[in-house]
Amino acid sequence: MTATAPGTREMSDTAGSMPRTSIATVCLSGTLAEKLDAAAAAGFGGVEVFEPDFVAAPMRPAELARAAADRGLSLDLYQPFRDLDHVDPNRFARNLVRLERKFDVMDELGCDLLLVCSSPLTSAVDDDALLIEQLGAAAQIAARRGKRIAYEALAWGTAVNDYRHAANIVAAVDNPALGTCLDSFHILSRGDDPAPIADLPAESIFFLQLADAPRMSMDILQWSRHHRCLPGQGNFDLQTFIRAVQASGYRGPWSLEIFSDVFRHADPYRTARDAQRSLRYLAELATEAGPSTPSAARDVVSIRVAAGPQMAPEVAKTLSHIGFDLQGVGSETGLRLYRDAEVAVVVDTTVGTVWSAPGIAPDMPTIAQIGIRSDDPVAWADRAARFDVPVAPVAAPGATAGADSDTEVVRLNVTETLSIDLRSPESADDWQRRFDLVPRDARPPAELFTGVDHVGLGIGTAAWEGAMLLLRSVFRMSVDDGLDVPDAVGTMRSQALTMDTDSGSAVRIVASMVPTQLDGHGPLRRRGGLTHAAFACTDIVATAAACRERGLVALPIPDNYYDDLAARFDLPDDLVAQLRTYDILYDADSDGGEFFHFFTPTIGEDLFFEIVCRRGSYRGYGEPNSPVRVAAELARGGTDLPGSE
């Protein structure tokens, strides 16, 4: 494996005193030496030695101890020791011999803490009195050897699968060499209440392991082995969990134990840096006041589309059809400014920047930048820096090459092809004046849209976890439960993220996971299109009529959809007729909120635009209609159907 270690600059605290951090070697890819290098480069204080990593390594125990010390790392935990208790006393006696051998290894490692998991076997002891006796015998050996045992309740344990049960067993043994290990995955995956953790004696909690996970309905063991993720990348309520841990008085290390198919293939340095960032985010959540984010993020003021010379005319024509008029041209930058009311779309006609990223082809126009108005971009830059996210002032769109950077604009790269720019109100207005004006269209401005409702993005699997963490930690975006959306070309994982703003509106991103190129860079294309900007309006029928008058032929929706719509929803016949006429799709929630939307055909391989109208408290994105849109795009003739010649 080849990896380039990033700089080892220590990150500043985000929430006052940062706990000492640790990471299990299983979280990282590569050899054991590479894992240690990555953990040290990211600023971790210690590691958990995952036994399979150690067994497969050429380093002897003393060599591993020296290698860790040379990198400034402590060996915080040796794990896991499985299936200690047993209903067969002879087998249990053999397990105690095995325990002694592990302590021999730990002597050479210089590590005094061993993780012992509750047993998932049918031979596990299901009588508390006998289990207390057996764990007590193990604790006596540990005490004699100068070691400690952290007993962990596996979520799939046969007799002990609840942290409260494990804590009661530990309390009954009453030996200072035996304590508990609290693991957020094993507790939260079962839906257990973490509040009672606050009542556990701090001295009885020997270790803390942390992991997040997306909500899934599946076997817990498979969930655990393949789908854990870093805090801030999943859907667990880690804020409540970590506050209960802190209330107990636990002051030991915060350690990450992540079993992830994605991390097993990822650059260990990038994973380790994301991992350290996730713990700083969690530390911020743990504070009594909660996260302190800069105020006055307002709204999305601009979208930049990287179209290139080949697709720029098609993008421009579609924008014109939906109400955006050309307002200015950057003669030296290749940027073209289109506006409707307060919404700006910049089309980049050059070959470069985005297409230098592998996987982005000239016939694949994409959204490359989202501009957000903020009263204090510098405060956002400071926040990003606290999470070790690179930021820099950038030249404003329309500025000539070599122009002075606009210090009121701060750019954060979310992926290798997408950035978010935070703009002061002055910059949000002034940068548009830097374009050379063009003659105005004779027709009056359309003024159809009130703003950007949301932006839809395809993010490759390799970049997915890092992008989710950045959006949640730096921008404090909240997440809905992820969805698996099936359509005519497969099933796609979708995640909606929202940042509420001081203006009362919201910045919304709908991210969809798509496969990454074989070279590890850039998302693969997905038939039917995926990347889009959705513009908000107040009257969907009037807007659709205006767009048609300007030349738009909306994505045609089959009559079958409207026949079914009339059966599913109690809508007036004349409304259904209007929706059918203008190819408008519809959805409603249980609280009476409504969502109307229509689409442009896909431009090139991926990009399209969406027009939406929300009514009431509707918070979704018309997800039930997504398969209809994809099927309609395939049927349009721009993309062959599966199996066609």
Side-chain angles (χ1 to χ4, degrees):
M1 171 174 292
T2 301
T4 302
T8 58
R9 180 178 64 84
E10 184 177 351
M11 291 184 286
S12 60
D13 287 347
T14 63
S17 178
M18 181 71 189
R20 195 170 69 84
T21 59
S22 186
I23 187 170
T25 56
V26 72
C27 300
L28 305 170
S29 65
T31 66
L32 188 53
E34 288 173 331
K35 294 169 187 265
L36 296 179
D37 285 339
F44 281 93
V47 296
E48 301 178 34
V49 179
F50 186 56
E51 187 174 65
D53 288 338
F54 169 68
V55 170
M59 288 185 284
R60 299 293 293 156
E63 292 177 302
L64 174 55
R66 287 194 297 271
D70 289 345
R71 293 164 173 81
L73 298 169
S74 60
L75 301 182
D76 295 330
L77 181 75
Y78 189 75
Q79 62 112 333
F81 189 93
R82 302 188 188 278
D83 312 321
L84 171 64
D85 57 281
H86 206 283
V87 293
D88 181 350
N90 293 324
R91 182 60 181 270
F92 174 66
R94 173 59 190 150
N95 288 342
L96 291 183
V97 173
R98 182 162 57 96
L99 183 67
E100 293 267 18
R101 299 290 77 80
K102 298 303 178 186
F103 286 157
D104 292 342
V105 172
M106 292 170 63
D107 281 342
E108 294 187 65
L109 287 173
C111 176
D112 76 333
L113 185 59
L114 176 69
L115 178 71
V116 172
C117 306
S118 65
S119 176
L121 304 180
T122 56
S123 57
V125 172
D126 61 0
D127 175 74
D128 278 6
L130 179 57
L131 183 57
I132 290 167
E133 178 184 328
Q134 292 192 355
L135 283 176
Q140 289 177 4
I141 295 174
R144 173 170 54 81
R145 297 290 301 267
K147 302 292 185 288
R148 297 178 301 143
I149 293 173
Y151 183 56
E152 176 184 63
L154 293 181
W156 51 89
T158 300
V160 178
N161 48 43
D162 185 310
Y163 77 93
R164 292 159 292 197
H165 190 180
N168 290 337
I169 296 294
V170 166
V173 171
D174 193 21
N175 187 314
L178 180 69
T180 59
C181 174
L182 298 176
D183 185 309
S184 64
F185 181 87
H186 290 298
I187 294 170
L188 299 179
S189 65
R190 287 169 40 87
D192 289 341
D193 181 7
I197 292 174
D199 299 324
L200 296 179
E203 64 274 10
S204 73
I205 305 174
F206 282 6
F207 207 69
L208 173 67
Q209 292 179 322
L210 295 163
D212 205 340
R215 297 198 189 282
M216 293 182 167
S217 297
M218 65 185 304
D219 176 76
I220 295 181
L221 177 58
Q222 294 303 312
W223 191 11
S224 171
R225 288 287 180 263
H226 300 283
H227 299 288
R228 295 195 196 194
C229 56
L230 297 172
Q233 294 177 334
N235 300 104
F236 283 170
D237 183 6
L238 286 174
Q239 182 178 54
T240 298
F241 175 84
I242 199 64
R243 287 184 176 183
V245 171
Q246 287 194 311
S248 74
Y250 173 79
R251 295 296 180 264
W254 291 13
S255 188
L256 293 165
E257 186 194 40
I258 314 293
F259 296 88
S260 165
D261 294 342
V262 173
F263 291 173
R264 289 185 180 98
H265 301 285
D267 181 335
Y269 290 97
R270 184 180 66 189
T271 300
R273 287 172 69 83
D274 280 350
Q276 186 70 270
R277 183 178 300 139
S278 77
L279 290 178
R280 293 186 175 274
Y281 169 61
L282 187 58
E284 185 181 71
L285 292 178
T287 63
E288 185 175 349
S292 175
T293 55
S295 61
R298 297 191 186 179
D299 50 9
V300 174
V301 293
S302 66
I303 300 289
R304 181 163 66 87
V305 175
Q310 181 175 331
M311 298 306 300
E314 188 68 22
V315 173
K317 182 172 70 173
T318 302
L319 286 172
S320 175
H321 288 167
I322 62 173
F324 286 86
D325 293 318
L326 180 63
Q327 301 255 314
V329 175
S331 57
E332 297 187 31
T333 63
L335 301 179
R336 300 172 72 86
L337 171 65
Y338 297 82
R339 285 187 58 85
D340 175 80
E342 297 301 315
V343 184
V345 177
V346 174
V347 178
D348 187 345
T349 65
T350 63
V351 174
T353 313
V354 171
W355 286 280
S356 65
I360 303 300
D363 60 346
M364 192 175 174
T366 191
I367 292 175
Q369 179 266 332
I370 303 170
I372 299 175
R373 192 194 326 256
S374 168
D375 283 348
D376 195 350
V378 174
W380 284 100
D382 291 343
R383 176 171 175 78
R386 292 199 299 272
F387 284 96
D388 205 27
V389 175
V391 296
V394 297
T400 58
D404 292 339
S405 293
D406 184 343
T407 58
E408 295 183 319
V409 181
V410 172
R411 173 166 296 169
L412 287 79
N413 292 324
V414 179
T415 69
E416 57 190 349
T417 60
L418 174 74
S419 66
I420 293 180
D421 287 5
L422 294 153
R423 300 184 170 281
S424 69
E426 295 77 12
S427 172
D429 296 331
D430 289 348
W431 67 264
Q432 298 180 42
R433 300 191 183 100
R434 303 185 185 186
F435 289 89
D436 300 325
L437 296 179
V438 298
R440 297 186 62 87
D441 196 304
R443 60 187 173 185
E447 297 188 349
L448 299 177
F449 306 122
T450 59
V452 176
D453 182 85
H454 67 272
V455 177
L457 304 170
I459 299 178
T461 51
W464 177 267
E465 305 292 2
M468 292 300 105
L469 178 59
L470 187 150
L471 293 171
R472 293 184 67 176
S473 62
V474 176
F475 291 104
R476 287 292 296 127
M477 300 190 86
S478 59
V479 299
D480 298 331
D481 288 350
L483 295 175
D484 289 334
V485 181
D487 57 33
V489 296
T491 298
M492 182 175 58
R493 178 180 169 190
S494 180
Q495 178 68 70
L497 303 99
T498 304
M499 179 172 67
D500 294 328
T501 68
D502 288 359
S503 64
S505 60
V507 175
R508 304 182 184 94
I509 291 176
V510 179
S512 298
M513 180 187 289
V514 293
T516 298
Q517 298 276 7
L518 292 178
D519 61 6
H521 297 281
L524 287 171
R525 305 178 187 190
R526 190 176 195 273
R527 289 188 304 153
L530 182 62
T531 303
H532 65 281
F535 304 111
C537 69
T538 57
D539 187 329
I540 193 72
V541 173
T543 301
C547 291
R548 177 174 292 185
E549 198 171 303
R550 291 176 66 99
L552 177 68
V553 178
L555 183 67
I557 305 301
D559 283 335
N560 293 340
Y561 171 82
Y562 296 100
D563 295 342
D564 181 67
L565 192 67
R568 289 191 298 126
F569 295 101
D570 185 19
L571 298 175
D573 291 342
D574 59 341
L575 176 58
V576 174
Q578 287 180 313
L579 301 183
R580 189 192 302 262
T581 297
Y582 291 106
D583 295 297
I584 299 169
L585 296 96
Y586 175 86
D587 190 34
D589 60 27
S590 58
D591 296 323
E594 295 180 296
F595 189 74
F596 302 82
H597 54 155
F598 64 92
F599 303 93
T600 72
T602 299
I603 307 167
E605 292 285 341
D606 184 56
L607 178 71
F608 60 91
F609 297 106
E610 179 181 7
I611 315 302
V612 311
C613 177
R614 295 177 183 270
R615 292 181 182 172
S617 59
Y618 188 94
R619 291 183 57 85
Y621 299 87
E623 293 89 347
N625 295 325
S626 181
V628 179
R629 186 200 67 80
V630 172
E633 179 61 39
L634 296 179
R636 189 174 65 90
T639 308
D640 291 337
L641 289 168
S644 64
E645 295 182 357

